[in-house]
PDB file of all heavy atoms in Angstrom:
ATOM      1  N   TRP A 721     -15.693 -17.494  -2.996  1.00 89.00           N
ATOM      2  CA  TRP A 721     -15.702 -16.513  -4.088  1.00 89.00           C
ATOM      3  C   TRP A 721     -14.331 -16.428  -4.720  1.00 89.00           C
ATOM      4  O   TRP A 721     -14.197 -16.447  -5.940  1.00 89.00           O
ATOM      5  CB  TRP A 721     -16.111 -15.137  -3.552  1.00 89.00           C
ATOM      6  CG  TRP A 721     -15.853 -14.037  -4.538  1.00 89.00           C
ATOM      7  CD1 TRP A 721     -16.687 -13.653  -5.540  1.00 89.00           C
ATOM      8  CD2 TRP A 721     -14.687 -13.220  -4.656  1.00 89.00           C
ATOM      9  NE1 TRP A 721     -16.107 -12.627  -6.268  1.00 89.00           N
ATOM     10  CE2 TRP A 721     -14.874 -12.353  -5.746  1.00 89.00           C
ATOM     11  CE3 TRP A 721     -13.489 -13.138  -3.944  1.00 89.00           C
ATOM     12  CZ2 TRP A 721     -13.921 -11.411  -6.137  1.00 89.00           C
ATOM     13  CZ3 TRP A 721     -12.550 -12.205  -4.326  1.00 89.00           C
ATOM     14  CH2 TRP A 721     -12.770 -11.355  -5.423  1.00 89.00           C
ATOM     15  N   PHE A 722     -13.306 -16.351  -3.889  1.00 91.00           N
ATOM     16  CA  PHE A 722     -11.947 -16.224  -4.386  1.00 91.00           C
ATOM     17  C   PHE A 722     -11.566 -17.441  -5.230  1.00 91.00           C
ATOM     18  O   PHE A 722     -10.974 -17.299  -6.307  1.00 91.00           O
ATOM     19  CB  PHE A 722     -10.979 -16.053  -3.217  1.00 91.00           C
ATOM     20  CG  PHE A 722      -9.565 -15.750  -3.620  1.00 91.00           C
ATOM     21  CD1 PHE A 722      -9.249 -14.549  -4.235  1.00 91.00           C
ATOM     22  CD2 PHE A 722      -8.553 -16.661  -3.373  1.00 91.00           C
ATOM     23  CE1 PHE A 722      -7.935 -14.257  -4.599  1.00 91.00           C
ATOM     24  CE2 PHE A 722      -7.245 -16.374  -3.727  1.00 91.00           C
ATOM     25  CZ  PHE A 722      -6.928 -15.176  -4.338  1.00 91.00           C
ATOM     26  N   ASP A 723     -11.921 -18.616  -4.776  1.00 90.00           N
ATOM     27  CA  ASP A 723     -11.631 -19.835  -5.541  1.00 90.00           C
ATOM     28  C   ASP A 723     -12.405 -19.867  -6.852  1.00 90.00           C
ATOM     29  O   ASP A 723     -11.886 -20.334  -7.873  1.00 90.00           O
ATOM     30  CB  ASP A 723     -11.975 -21.078  -4.725  1.00 90.00           C
ATOM     31  CG  ASP A 723     -11.061 -21.271  -3.532  1.00 90.00           C
ATOM     32  OD1 ASP A 723      -9.937 -20.717  -3.552  1.00 90.00           O
ATOM     33  OD2 ASP A 723     -11.471 -21.962  -2.577  1.00 90.00           O
ATOM     34  N   ALA A 724     -13.620 -19.331  -6.847  1.00 93.00           N
ATOM     35  CA  ALA A 724     -14.492 -19.420  -8.027  1.00 93.00           C
ATOM     36  C   ALA A 724     -14.132 -18.439  -9.136  1.00 93.00           C
ATOM     37  O   ALA A 724     -14.544 -18.634 -10.279  1.00 93.00           O
ATOM     38  CB  ALA A 724     -15.945 -19.203  -7.600  1.00 93.00           C
ATOM     39  N   ILE A 725     -13.362 -17.400  -8.833  1.00 93.00           N
ATOM     40  CA  ILE A 725     -13.108 -16.392  -9.863  1.00 93.00           C
ATOM     41  C   ILE A 725     -12.084 -16.837 -10.899  1.00 93.00           C
ATOM     42  O   ILE A 725     -11.929 -16.197 -11.930  1.00 93.00           O
ATOM     43  CB  ILE A 725     -12.693 -15.032  -9.258  1.00 93.00           C
ATOM     44  CG1 ILE A 725     -11.373 -15.119  -8.498  1.00 93.00           C
ATOM     45  CG2 ILE A 725     -13.804 -14.463  -8.412  1.00 93.00           C
ATOM     46  CD1 ILE A 725     -10.838 -13.777  -8.013  1.00 93.00           C
ATOM     47  N   GLY A 726     -11.390 -17.917 -10.629  1.00 94.00           N
ATOM     48  CA  GLY A 726     -10.445 -18.439 -11.614  1.00 94.00           C
ATOM     49  C   GLY A 726      -9.016 -17.975 -11.367  1.00 94.00           C
ATOM     50  O   GLY A 726      -8.771 -16.969 -10.686  1.00 94.00           O
ATOM     51  N   ALA A 727      -8.104 -18.710 -11.942  1.00 95.00           N
ATOM     52  CA  ALA A 727      -6.674 -18.494 -11.690  1.00 95.00           C
ATOM     53  C   ALA A 727      -6.199 -17.112 -12.133  1.00 95.00           C
ATOM     54  O   ALA A 727      -5.433 -16.459 -11.420  1.00 95.00           O
ATOM     55  CB  ALA A 727      -5.856 -19.580 -12.372  1.00 95.00           C
ATOM     56  N   VAL A 728      -6.641 -16.657 -13.295  1.00 96.00           N
ATOM     57  CA  VAL A 728      -6.171 -15.358 -13.807  1.00 96.00           C
ATOM     58  C   VAL A 728      -6.641 -14.230 -12.897  1.00 96.00           C
ATOM     59  O   VAL A 728      -5.852 -13.361 -12.511  1.00 96.00           O
ATOM     60  CB  VAL A 728      -6.647 -15.134 -15.260  1.00 96.00           C
ATOM     61  CG1 VAL A 728      -6.346 -13.722 -15.722  1.00 96.00           C
ATOM     62  CG2 VAL A 728      -5.996 -16.146 -16.197  1.00 96.00           C
ATOM     63  N   ASP A 729      -7.914 -14.238 -12.535  1.00 96.00           N
ATOM     64  CA  ASP A 729      -8.429 -13.182 -11.662  1.00 96.00           C
ATOM     65  C   ASP A 729      -7.854 -13.278 -10.256  1.00 96.00           C
ATOM     66  O   ASP A 729      -7.593 -12.253  -9.617  1.00 96.00           O
ATOM     67  CB  ASP A 729      -9.952 -13.206 -11.625  1.00 96.00           C
ATOM     68  CG  ASP A 729     -10.560 -12.712 -12.919  1.00 96.00           C
ATOM     69  OD1 ASP A 729      -9.955 -11.817 -13.556  1.00 96.00           O
ATOM     70  OD2 ASP A 729     -11.627 -13.207 -13.307  1.00 96.00           O
ATOM     71  N   ARG A 730      -7.618 -14.495  -9.749  1.00 95.00           N
ATOM     72  CA  ARG A 730      -6.960 -14.633  -8.445  1.00 95.00           C
ATOM     73  C   ARG A 730      -5.566 -14.017  -8.498  1.00 95.00           C
ATOM     74  O   ARG A 730      -5.147 -13.320  -7.568  1.00 95.00           O
ATOM     75  CB  ARG A 730      -6.869 -16.105  -8.028  1.00 95.00           C
ATOM     76  CG  ARG A 730      -8.149 -16.667  -7.459  1.00 95.00           C
ATOM     77  CD  ARG A 730      -7.937 -18.002  -6.770  1.00 95.00           C
ATOM     78  NE  ARG A 730      -7.306 -19.001  -7.609  1.00 95.00           N
ATOM     79  CZ  ARG A 730      -7.956 -19.862  -8.392  1.00 95.00           C
ATOM     80  NH1 ARG A 730      -9.280 -19.847  -8.440  1.00 95.00           N
ATOM     81  NH2 ARG A 730      -7.293 -20.747  -9.105  1.00 95.00           N
ATOM     82  N   ASP A 731      -4.860 -14.264  -9.591  1.00 96.00           N
ATOM     83  CA  ASP A 731      -3.530 -13.683  -9.759  1.00 96.00           C
ATOM     84  C   ASP A 731      -3.602 -12.158  -9.773  1.00 96.00           C
ATOM     85  O   ASP A 731      -2.777 -11.487  -9.148  1.00 96.00           O
ATOM     86  CB  ASP A 731      -2.887 -14.205 -11.038  1.00 96.00           C
ATOM     87  CG  ASP A 731      -1.443 -13.757 -11.181  1.00 96.00           C
ATOM     88  OD1 ASP A 731      -0.653 -13.985 -10.243  1.00 96.00           O
ATOM     89  OD2 ASP A 731      -1.112 -13.179 -12.235  1.00 96.00           O
ATOM     90  N   HIS A 732      -4.603 -11.612 -10.447  1.00 96.00           N
ATOM     91  CA  HIS A 732      -4.759 -10.150 -10.501  1.00 96.00           C
ATOM     92  C   HIS A 732      -5.070  -9.577  -9.121  1.00 96.00           C
ATOM     93  O   HIS A 732      -4.531  -8.518  -8.748  1.00 96.00           O
ATOM     94  CB  HIS A 732      -5.849  -9.757 -11.489  1.00 96.00           C
ATOM     95  CG  HIS A 732      -5.472  -9.998 -12.909  1.00 96.00           C
ATOM     96  ND1 HIS A 732      -6.394 -10.010 -13.919  1.00 96.00           N
ATOM     97  CD2 HIS A 732      -4.282 -10.257 -13.498  1.00 96.00           C
ATOM     98  CE1 HIS A 732      -5.793 -10.250 -15.072  1.00 96.00           C
ATOM     99  NE2 HIS A 732      -4.500 -10.407 -14.832  1.00 96.00           N
ATOM    100  N   VAL A 733      -5.915 -10.260  -8.363  1.00 95.00           N
ATOM    101  CA  VAL A 733      -6.244  -9.804  -7.006  1.00 95.00           C
ATOM    102  C   VAL A 733      -4.980  -9.792  -6.141  1.00 95.00           C
ATOM    103  O   VAL A 733      -4.716  -8.828  -5.413  1.00 95.00           O
ATOM    104  CB  VAL A 733      -7.342 -10.690  -6.374  1.00 95.00           C
ATOM    105  CG1 VAL A 733      -7.468 -10.440  -4.875  1.00 95.00           C
ATOM    106  CG2 VAL A 733      -8.682 -10.452  -7.064  1.00 95.00           C
ATOM    107  N   MET A 734      -4.188 -10.841  -6.251  1.00 96.00           N
ATOM    108  CA  MET A 734      -2.962 -10.905  -5.453  1.00 96.00           C
ATOM    109  C   MET A 734      -1.938  -9.876  -5.936  1.00 96.00           C
ATOM    110  O   MET A 734      -1.158  -9.351  -5.138  1.00 96.00           O
ATOM    111  CB  MET A 734      -2.386 -12.321  -5.465  1.00 96.00           C
ATOM    112  CG  MET A 734      -3.326 -13.348  -4.830  1.00 96.00           C
ATOM    113  SD  MET A 734      -4.055 -12.845  -3.236  1.00 96.00           S
ATOM    114  CE  MET A 734      -2.611 -12.817  -2.198  1.00 96.00           C
ATOM    115  N   TRP A 735      -1.950  -9.560  -7.214  1.00 97.00           N
ATOM    116  CA  TRP A 735      -1.073  -8.521  -7.754  1.00 97.00           C
ATOM    117  C   TRP A 735      -1.438  -7.167  -7.132  1.00 97.00           C
ATOM    118  O   TRP A 735      -0.577  -6.402  -6.714  1.00 97.00           O
ATOM    119  CB  TRP A 735      -1.213  -8.494  -9.266  1.00 97.00           C
ATOM    120  CG  TRP A 735      -0.319  -7.574 -10.027  1.00 97.00           C
ATOM    121  CD1 TRP A 735       0.692  -6.778  -9.555  1.00 97.00           C
ATOM    122  CD2 TRP A 735      -0.363  -7.342 -11.429  1.00 97.00           C
ATOM    123  NE1 TRP A 735       1.269  -6.072 -10.581  1.00 97.00           N
ATOM    124  CE2 TRP A 735       0.640  -6.403 -11.749  1.00 97.00           C
ATOM    125  CE3 TRP A 735      -1.161  -7.829 -12.457  1.00 97.00           C
ATOM    126  CZ2 TRP A 735       0.859  -5.948 -13.042  1.00 97.00           C
ATOM    127  CZ3 TRP A 735      -0.931  -7.383 -13.738  1.00 97.00           C
ATOM    128  CH2 TRP A 735       0.071  -6.453 -14.030  1.00 97.00           C
ATOM    129  N   ILE A 736      -2.746  -6.888  -7.076  1.00 97.00           N
ATOM    130  CA  ILE A 736      -3.215  -5.655  -6.442  1.00 97.00           C
ATOM    131  C   ILE A 736      -2.779  -5.625  -4.978  1.00 97.00           C
ATOM    132  O   ILE A 736      -2.282  -4.616  -4.488  1.00 97.00           O
ATOM    133  CB  ILE A 736      -4.754  -5.531  -6.542  1.00 97.00           C
ATOM    134  CG1 ILE A 736      -5.193  -5.348  -7.987  1.00 97.00           C
ATOM    135  CG2 ILE A 736      -5.267  -4.379  -5.679  1.00 97.00           C
ATOM    136  CD1 ILE A 736      -6.688  -5.541  -8.197  1.00 97.00           C
ATOM    137  N   ALA A 737      -2.964  -6.750  -4.279  1.00 97.00           N
ATOM    138  CA  ALA A 737      -2.571  -6.822  -2.873  1.00 97.00           C
ATOM    139  C   ALA A 737      -1.073  -6.578  -2.712  1.00 97.00           C
ATOM    140  O   ALA A 737      -0.635  -5.861  -1.801  1.00 97.00           O
ATOM    141  CB  ALA A 737      -2.966  -8.179  -2.285  1.00 97.00           C
ATOM    142  N   SER A 738      -0.285  -7.133  -3.602  1.00 97.00           N
ATOM    143  CA  SER A 738       1.161  -6.942  -3.553  1.00 97.00           C
ATOM    144  C   SER A 738       1.529  -5.477  -3.765  1.00 97.00           C
ATOM    145  O   SER A 738       2.382  -4.930  -3.051  1.00 97.00           O
ATOM    146  CB  SER A 738       1.838  -7.816  -4.608  1.00 97.00           C
ATOM    147  OG  SER A 738       3.221  -7.576  -4.634  1.00 97.00           O
ATOM    148  N   ASP A 739       0.901  -4.839  -4.742  1.00 97.00           N
ATOM    149  CA  ASP A 739       1.159  -3.418  -4.988  1.00 97.00           C
ATOM    150  C   ASP A 739       0.787  -2.569  -3.773  1.00 97.00           C
ATOM    151  O   ASP A 739       1.530  -1.661  -3.381  1.00 97.00           O
ATOM    152  CB  ASP A 739       0.398  -2.919  -6.217  1.00 97.00           C
ATOM    153  CG  ASP A 739       1.003  -3.376  -7.528  1.00 97.00           C
ATOM    154  OD1 ASP A 739       2.132  -3.928  -7.523  1.00 97.00           O
ATOM    155  OD2 ASP A 739       0.343  -3.196  -8.579  1.00 97.00           O
ATOM    156  N   LEU A 740      -0.362  -2.860  -3.173  1.00 97.00           N
ATOM    157  CA  LEU A 740      -0.779  -2.123  -1.977  1.00 97.00           C
ATOM    158  C   LEU A 740       0.196  -2.357  -0.828  1.00 97.00           C
ATOM    159  O   LEU A 740       0.554  -1.416  -0.111  1.00 97.00           O
ATOM    160  CB  LEU A 740      -2.194  -2.520  -1.560  1.00 97.00           C
ATOM    161  CG  LEU A 740      -3.337  -1.908  -2.361  1.00 97.00           C
ATOM    162  CD1 LEU A 740      -4.661  -2.597  -2.024  1.00 97.00           C
ATOM    163  CD2 LEU A 740      -3.445  -0.416  -2.092  1.00 97.00           C
ATOM    164  N   ALA A 741       0.640  -3.589  -0.650  1.00 97.00           N
ATOM    165  CA  ALA A 741       1.596  -3.892   0.412  1.00 97.00           C
ATOM    166  C   ALA A 741       2.906  -3.128   0.194  1.00 97.00           C
ATOM    167  O   ALA A 741       3.504  -2.617   1.144  1.00 97.00           O
ATOM    168  CB  ALA A 741       1.855  -5.397   0.484  1.00 97.00           C
ATOM    169  N   ASP A 742       3.356  -3.039  -1.060  1.00 97.00           N
ATOM    170  CA  ASP A 742       4.563  -2.266  -1.371  1.00 97.00           C
ATOM    171  C   ASP A 742       4.371  -0.791  -1.037  1.00 97.00           C
ATOM    172  O   ASP A 742       5.273  -0.142  -0.492  1.00 97.00           O
ATOM    173  CB  ASP A 742       4.941  -2.414  -2.842  1.00 97.00           C
ATOM    174  CG  ASP A 742       5.487  -3.781  -3.196  1.00 97.00           C
ATOM    175  OD1 ASP A 742       5.846  -4.558  -2.285  1.00 97.00           O
ATOM    176  OD2 ASP A 742       5.552  -4.080  -4.418  1.00 97.00           O
ATOM    177  N   GLU A 743       3.206  -0.247  -1.365  1.00 96.00           N
ATOM    178  CA  GLU A 743       2.925   1.163  -1.086  1.00 96.00           C
ATOM    179  C   GLU A 743       2.866   1.404   0.425  1.00 96.00           C
ATOM    180  O   GLU A 743       3.379   2.421   0.922  1.00 96.00           O
ATOM    181  CB  GLU A 743       1.619   1.588  -1.750  1.00 96.00           C
ATOM    182  CG  GLU A 743       1.713   1.625  -3.263  1.00 96.00           C
ATOM    183  CD  GLU A 743       0.384   1.853  -3.961  1.00 96.00           C
ATOM    184  OE1 GLU A 743      -0.630   2.059  -3.278  1.00 96.00           O
ATOM    185  OE2 GLU A 743       0.374   1.820  -5.195  1.00 96.00           O
TER     186      GLU A 743
END
Side-chain angles (χ1 to χ4, degrees):
W721 167 85
F722 187 67
D723 292 338
I725 64 174
V728 172
D729 288 327
R730 281 193 305 270
D731 186 54
H732 290 165
V733 167
M734 297 314 293
W735 185 4
I736 293 167
S738 176
D739 285 350
L740 282 169
D742 289 345
E743 291 172 4

